[in-house]
Amino acid sequence: MAIQLLVTDRNLNFLGDPIVGWSKLTCDLNHRAPASGSVVLPARPEIMELLQPGNRMVLLRDQAIWCAGPLELPQDPYIWDLEANGGVGTVTARWTDDLGRIAGYLTYPHPGVHFPFQVTDRDQVWTRTGNSEAVIRELVSLTCGPTALTERRIERLVLDAVAGVGTTRTLSTRLEPVLDACRTLAVPDGLGFRTRQAGDEIRFGVYQPIDRTAEARFSAGLGNLRRVEFTLSAPRATSELVMGGEDPAQQVPEGDPPNRRAYTEVMSGAQADWYRVEKLVQSRGKTDFDGELTQDGTLALGNDNPQASLVTVTVDTEDLKAGRDYQLGDLVSVVLPTGLEIADVVQSIGLVAEPDSGELVTTVVGSSDKTTMTRMVWTVRDLAYRLGQLEGRG
């Protein structure tokens, strides 16, 4: 088994020796979201000394970094039993990747100003119009990267090489989780973002997932399709009624013009299949001059369209391995047991390892949340029909 665990401080300096004696390890990598890892360790003094606040866990698989980031729960729990584990006790350490640290920040209207001095006028937001990759990179850099206020900088965090992806979009943000703001730009363009440890740097970058449907294929016949699950339900909204402009609850200074509102409606084609459902979307501080209201309505439809959820769990084989042949966010092919073939996004990659039983790598293709793309709705309808036909003949 080519698994190795090491601990660093927040400046990426390695501490102690590689950890040995672990009994169970799990680690899930997630698309556009922080990773989650845990490992059960013998609670020896030299190991307990490493599992301290501020330190980082580095998981290597086949001599390459699989996941690296801060310990979130360094000792959760510590258990000692006189009759178990030779009287040594065990401790479970839980960590995330370095994207988890970025996730802990909020966007400032004025990133270069200390929080007590942020301007509180009703129209103060951080706004950029430009290439979506460039805006995401700038926002992260100003929030917690190289150009952030000193006390907000994450140690060793730099920007990765420019990928040259994305389209022109507008972002307006104010005191929201920074990764939520990043997703606002990344999702419409189908982009991903991630952190990776390279030498003594933590590199944040944006990337364009790759269409690997020709070479990354999963099916029961290939021995790499483990589970299929789907649901189908009505839309939560077919008409997004987007209300922008200034906040009507905000007091207008004397002499200023009255608060003005901007309105637009973004509709989906689902109304023809289902029925009209209206939902109010408030986009305060925005107008539709740069298409922001339309963009917010489109994003809302992405969550509210007919709710088709299709989840397939795959498993690594010698011919097709996660991290080697495909990555998070890549488009892969799945041949369902009914014969229907679909293409969808790799949402998470999970690693489970035990010293006696070896490694198991599973991949979730599709989404554990409700997937709302039109093609996926029709895929699920087709799948439901075929399953019904099979059961009818059973």
Side-chain angles (χ1 to χ4, degrees):
M1 183 183 302
I3 295 282
Q4 192 174 28
L5 290 171
L6 303 102
V7 175
T8 77
D9 63 16
R10 64 181 67 231
N11 288 300
L12 278 62
N13 299 307
F14 287 99
L15 306 174
D17 297 321
I19 295 176
V20 297
W22 53 272
S23 56
K24 183 173 183 179
L25 180 147
T26 64
C27 186
D28 295 327
L29 308 179
N30 300 306
H31 185 41
R32 302 192 193 107
S36 176
S38 70
V39 63
V40 179
L41 304 164
R44 296 194 297 268
E46 64 273 19
I47 291 179
M48 299 297 288
E49 185 178 353
L50 296 174
L51 304 180
Q52 299 299 322
N55 287 348
R56 301 169 64 257
M57 184 71 75
V58 179
L59 167 61
L60 288 88
R61 180 176 183 243
D62 297 330
Q63 299 182 333
I65 295 178
W66 178 268
C67 179
L71 290 163
E72 291 188 303
L73 298 168
Q75 303 175 26
D76 178 45
Y78 164 76
I79 300 174
W80 181 84
D81 188 320
L82 178 63
E83 299 179 357
N85 201 34
V88 173
T90 62
V91 61
T92 300
R94 306 182 192 276
W95 76 95
T96 182
D97 59 7
D98 291 301
L99 199 62
R101 284 203 64 184
I102 297 176
Y105 285 77
L106 301 180
T107 60
Y108 281 9
H110 300 281
V113 178
H114 297 281
F115 185 76
F117 305 104
Q118 293 288 316
V119 176
T120 57
D121 291 347
R122 61 186 180 275
D123 60 347
Q124 291 300 310
V125 294
W126 188 84
T127 302
R128 287 291 187 278
T129 297
N131 171 266
S132 52
E133 178 192 6
V135 176
I136 291 172
R137 287 166 58 90
E138 182 184 5
L139 179 61
V140 170
S141 182
L142 289 171
T143 301
C144 55
T147 57
L149 294 169
T150 302
E151 66 271 21
R152 300 188 80 199
R153 293 177 191 169
I154 294 176
E155 298 86 355
R156 316 306 300 173
L157 179 64
V158 300
L159 296 180
D160 212 336
V162 175
V165 297
T167 64
T168 299
R169 298 196 176 273
T170 295
L171 174 69
S172 295
T173 180
R174 173 189 174 89
L175 300 178
E176 70 172 316
V178 66
L179 291 191
D180 285 356
C182 291
R183 280 187 281 267
T184 298
L185 294 174
V187 171
D189 282 344
L191 303 179
F193 48 81
R194 61 192 169 200
T195 55
R196 64 186 183 95
Q197 180 176 330
D200 61 353
E201 294 179 334
I202 299 168
R203 299 179 183 176
F204 172 86
V206 180
Y207 66 97
Q208 179 73 63
I210 299 173
D211 185 343
R212 301 186 188 273
T213 51
E215 63 268 21
R217 299 174 59 81
F218 300 92
S219 71
L222 292 172
N224 56 14
L225 183 61
R226 190 171 183 179
R227 187 169 183 262
V228 175
E229 178 181 348
F230 75 90
T231 61
L232 179 65
S233 61
R236 290 194 288 257
T238 60
S239 291
E240 304 290 351
L241 309 179
V242 190
M243 184 168 61
E246 298 171 351
D247 185 351
Q250 180 74 40
Q251 185 176 3
V252 180
E254 186 177 352
D256 280 9
N259 286 324
R260 296 187 178 90
R261 279 293 190 183
Y263 302 88
T264 193
E265 180 178 2
V266 181
M267 296 180 289
S268 75
Q271 181 173 326
D273 292 331
W274 298 86
Y275 36 76
R276 182 179 176 89
V277 184
E278 299 176 344
K279 178 181 175 183
L280 178 64
V281 178
Q282 297 198 46
S283 299
R284 293 177 178 175
K286 299 180 182 180
T287 69
D288 210 34
F289 181 76
D290 293 313
E292 285 189 278
L293 297 188
T294 301
Q295 181 173 290
D296 286 354
T298 302
L299 286 170
L301 279 181
N303 294 321
D304 295 333
N305 272 334
Q307 304 296 296
S309 173
L310 177 59
V311 179
T312 62
V313 180
T314 68
V315 63
D316 260 9
T317 64
E318 287 301 320
D319 295 328
L320 187 62
K321 290 191 175 185
R324 185 191 70 185
D325 302 308
Y326 62 91
Q327 309 288 340
L328 284 172
D330 285 349
L331 199 66
V332 298
S333 296
V334 181
V335 181
L336 302 176
T338 61
L340 181 67
E341 182 171 339
I342 64 168
D344 213 330
V345 171
V346 175
Q347 293 289 350
S348 67
I349 300 174
L351 169 66
V352 178
E354 296 186 28
D356 296 333
S357 57
E359 303 174 9
L360 175 65
V361 177
T362 59
T363 301
V364 175
V365 179
S367 176
S368 56
D369 299 324
K370 300 289 188 179
T371 302
T372 58
M373 291 177 288
T374 300
R375 64 171 177 78
M376 187 56 65
V377 172
W378 286 107
T379 294
V380 170
R381 287 178 179 174
D382 192 12
L383 175 60
Y385 173 78
R386 294 191 188 202
L387 289 177
Q389 295 295 309
L390 288 174
E391 295 213 0
R393 293 196 297 267

